[in-house]
Amino acid sequence: MHTTLLTDAALPGANEDAGGVLGPVAVMLDGAGVPSRFRAGCHHGVAWFSHALAGRLLVRAQDLSLPLRQALAGAITDVRGLHERECELDRGGPSATVVAVRWGAGHLEHLVLCDSSLLLEGADGTTRRLTDPRIEDVVHEETGAEAIEARRNAPGGFWVARHEPEAAEQALVGSTPLSALRAAHLVSDGITRAIDLLGMHDDSSLARSLREDPSALLRSLRRAEARLPPERRPRKLHDDATMLTLCLDAP
């Protein structure tokens, strides 16, 4: 197996994404860039949270007998313990999306929480994209930032890793035979905007570009963002963009 991790910050020195590989586990987290008033109870930054949680999830998930949801719940509890005595988390704290995979016993397990994505590139040439659509559903149903925030980590709303370990139970999980896979790509929504915002790729062509030349993909993505007309530009013209690729058929 060959792994590649590549990340590009939207602003130099301010990358809120986190990713890593340890043993049979790979994780990719995208820190949620919400307005500061929605995390007013905590003085820690989003990057601190996403990196702290990524490290603890990598360690927790080394126990192959522990389901990935339980590993994530334990990691959230670990990070909460780092700052709950000095922060008022009931007033809001930083959060992150999570994608994690673990391989062994002939299968690749996966966990996806919120709108980062896992692209599973099949040995048969097909590509399957796994993401959690609930945040998009809420965004389409609500009209204001406060109304959207009120449905974060709430029944009937959307779920993200924050300080509530019960959010882990809402993650999408499953497994795929390793023999059926060519590659797996853990990507932030800064990467999948190449599909959803820019129309540069579909799932299959994005997966192929990530496997063949991720640096070229990032360069073309940044150029396409810069060319967007003002009326099509999102709140953040550029976003942190992170990809972690596992090539399963590598020698």
Side-chain angles (χ1 to χ4, degrees), residues 95 98 162 184:
S95 58
V98 182
R162 194 169 55 172

Side-chain angles (χ1 to χ4, degrees), residues 206-223:
L206 180 62
R208 184 171 60 251
S209 295
L210 289 166
R211 176 169 42 82
E212 294 177 349
D213 195 342
S215 296
L217 170 68
L218 277 173
R219 290 193 298 270
S220 63
L221 186 150
R222 295 307 191 204
R223 288 194 296 267

